Amino acid sequence: MADTRKLAAVMFTDIVGYTALMSEDESAAIKLLQKNGEIQSSLAKQHNGEFIKEMGDGTLLCFNSALDAVRCALEIQQVSKGWPNLKLRIGIHIGDTLFKNGDIFGDGVNVASRIEPLAKPGEVYISEQVLHIVRNQSEMESDFIGEKQLKNCLLYTS
């Protein structure tokens, strides 16, 4: 497969408290990880996205549309409420990416990975670039959380 560059909405997720759960009940932690992957993979497909990979208890997904990414993230958060211990942080940014050998790279990926840890459990944080694309959607509300020094990226919660 040839290397491809494109603008993509990149989503990072992380299970809050996974390390502690793993040290308490390894079997339950692994089941939670599997369920998380199933939920996210299924919802990414429903929202025209791609589940790229798992990294420990985190995931990397990408979408051709920022709106699809945010809608997917909100649905992931809603569905995860039905599973004990599945509390997620989600960060989304849109930027130029390089698709190479089934993986993605680039500044868009790096910024999304920095946004995700700032999110509170159960919340979705988006960059200013994503906000400009989704702010006219009546079903979405956002709050300004303050300027953060992440490569000049302003963050909002959705």
Side-chain angles (χ1 to χ4, degrees), residues 16-50:
V16 178
Y18 181 80
T19 303
L21 179 61
M22 179 61 92
S23 68
E24 293 170 13
D25 187 343
E26 183 179 275
S27 177
I30 291 183
K31 286 179 186 172
L32 185 67
L33 193 63
Q34 290 171 333
K35 189 62 182 172
N36 181 51
E38 291 169 10
I39 290 168
Q40 290 189 34
S41 181
S42 173
L43 289 176
K45 286 179 188 171
Q46 291 177 35
H47 290 275
N48 306 307
E50 183 179 354

Side-chain angles (χ1 to χ4, degrees), residues 21-84:
L21 179 61
M22 179 61 92
S23 68
E24 293 170 13
D25 187 343
E26 183 179 275
S27 177
I30 291 183
K31 286 179 186 172
L32 185 67
L33 193 63
Q34 290 171 333
K35 189 62 182 172
N36 181 51
E38 291 169 10
I39 290 168
Q40 290 189 34
S41 181
S42 173
L43 289 176
K45 286 179 188 171
Q46 291 177 35
H47 290 275
N48 306 307
E50 183 179 354
F51 186 95
I52 303 293
K53 64 181 176 181
E54 288 180 308
M55 301 158 295
D57 63 317
T59 62
L60 171 59
L61 300 88
C62 79
F63 299 80
N64 293 329
S65 158
L67 185 55
D68 284 344
V70 173
R71 285 181 173 153
C72 182
L74 293 172
E75 191 168 354
I76 287 169
Q77 291 293 30
Q78 189 63 38
V79 170
S80 69
K81 289 178 183 177
W83 291 90

